[in-house]
Amino acid sequence: MITLQPGLIHHPGLLDRAAQAALLDAIRNIVRASPLFTPVMPKTGKPFTVRMTNCGPLGWVSDQAGYRYQPQHPVTGTPWPAIPASLLDLWQRVAAAAPPPEACLVNYYAANARMGLHQDRDEADLSAPVVSISLGATALFRYGGVSRTDPTRSIRLSSGDVVVIGGASRLAFHGIDRLFPGTSTLVPEDGRVNLTLRRVTLPG
Ligand code: SIN
Ligand code: FE2
């Protein structure tokens, strides 16, 4: 476990290969029930390079109307599938003090996808961390402070790594600059899957 900065904790290799493969299988089932969609940026309508789906009672979506959480898939209109038990167990391992997660955003990165610097701030409960799980190709993860202009640092996230974004870093800017091909055989074609577990509503 490495503290990158206050509240930002990196757990390299927390999931072994068998756990990664089992989790990817669970995600394949989720994608079958709840297909990947291409979100677009609010206002501009510019498409993201990542494709997304969700599991849990709530899912994060972005379209021209804005960013929000909603209980149904934006294209099929059906409820998101349940969060796999293995992910709820993982939350208990790294974020036990927080109430249970309500949303798991599934981000699929093809080899050339990236994600611009952003904050995760659409949750009413900002006391709970965001827990991020990386599967597949190694990614260059950039993180900074709570202001977009704060200096940033970068680390590589490998398959099986978990990052907890909480405490003083809960609103830290972060993003993925690029993937590194040939770094994992877990996801075909040098792809990557990132899962982020989020508590959305205030408990009670
Ligand atoms: C995200 O910030 O939603 C994804 C981060 C990642 O892909 O590691
Ligand atoms: Fe994020």
Side-chain angles (χ1 to χ4, degrees):
M1 180 190 119
I2 300 158
T3 299
L4 300 170
Q5 63 186 26
L8 189 63
I9 313 296
H10 182 199
H11 298 267
L14 191 64
L15 301 181
D16 66 18
R17 176 73 185 204
Q20 295 168 40
L23 185 51
L24 187 62
D25 270 351
I27 298 303
R28 287 190 205 281
N29 285 327
I30 286 162
V31 170
R32 266 191 280 277
S34 201
L36 293 167
F37 61 93
T38 300
V40 301
M41 292 295 291
K43 300 194 186 103
T44 64
K46 187 176 186 295
F48 286 53
T49 59
V50 301
R51 292 194 292 148
M52 297 181 174
T53 189
N54 288 270
C55 53
L58 292 171
W60 188 86
V61 302
S62 177
D63 60 21
Q64 289 204 267
Y67 303 139
R68 65 189 173 279
Y69 284 93
Q70 63 181 45
Q72 294 98 11
H73 191 287
V75 178
T76 66
T78 57
W80 309 106
I83 298 176
S86 59
L87 287 176
L88 299 175
D89 291 346
L90 181 64
W91 179 274
Q92 287 307 315
R93 285 174 71 186
V94 299
E102 296 169 300
C104 176
L105 174 62
V106 177
N107 283 319
Y108 170 69
Y109 294 75
N112 57 358
R114 54 186 296 281
M115 187 174 292
L117 211 60
H118 67 276
Q119 292 171 297
D120 289 1
R121 57 168 202 194
D122 301 316
E123 301 74 31
D125 189 350
L126 292 172
S127 65
V130 171
V131 173
S132 157
I133 302 121
S134 293
L135 298 172
T138 297
L140 190 62
F141 174 72
R142 182 197 292 268
Y143 62 91
V146 298
S147 171
R148 183 177 285 282
T149 54
D150 287 342
T152 61
R153 302 175 67 111
S154 296
I155 59 163
R156 288 171 194 233
L157 294 182
S158 299
S159 196
D161 287 9
V162 173
V163 176
V164 180
I165 305 171
S169 290
R170 179 60 182 77
L171 292 176
F173 277 84
H174 60 278
I176 295 293
D177 287 340
R178 59 165 295 197
L179 306 188
F180 296 97
T183 49
S184 173
T185 56
L186 187 75
V187 177
E189 294 174 3
D190 291 320
R192 173 175 186 261
V193 174
N194 175 263
L195 310 172
T196 43
L197 293 165
R198 295 111 182 274
R199 176 73 194 188
V200 180
T201 66
L202 292 162

